[in-house]
Amino acid sequence: MSIKQQNNSIVKQFVNINEKPLKVEETAELLGIGRWGVLKRIERGLLPTHKNGRRWYVLKSELMDYIRNQ
């Protein structure tokens, strides 16, 4: 098994692979705040995020868990 296959199997254990990640703009809309508010919360480490290249993404399930636990 290649390293890429191992990494993919590890990721599948933790993340629903069929879940569409939310962009910053979509996250802002769900939270009822502006885009910059989301970026500030990401910068401070307050939101559960994932980075792909230069773009930040939030999984909706993780965002809902975050909101429930606040």
Side-chain angles (χ1 to χ4, degrees):
M1 182 182 285
S2 72
I3 293 175
K4 186 175 183 178
Q5 289 172 329
Q6 288 175 348
N7 287 341
N8 285 339
S9 67
I10 291 169
V11 169
K12 286 178 185 177
Q13 292 175 12
F14 297 105
V15 176
N16 179 355
I17 205 70
N18 296 323
E19 186 174 4
K20 178 184 168 256
L22 301 171
K23 295 178 184 175
V24 171
E25 294 78 11
E26 295 167 320
T27 304
E29 187 176 323
L30 277 175
L31 293 175
I33 60 176
R35 180 178 184 274
W36 291 111
V38 172
L39 290 172
K40 284 291 183 187
R41 285 168 177 77
I42 291 171
E43 184 179 278
R44 294 178 185 149
L46 299 176
L47 290 175
T49 58
H50 304 275
K51 192 170 186 182
N52 184 8
R54 295 177 59 199
R55 294 187 182 259
W56 289 100
Y57 295 94
V58 178
L59 294 176
K60 189 172 184 178
S61 62
E62 292 179 354
L63 182 62
M64 293 301 130
D65 288 342
Y66 167 79
I67 292 169
R68 279 188 216 107
N69 294 326
Q70 289 300 308

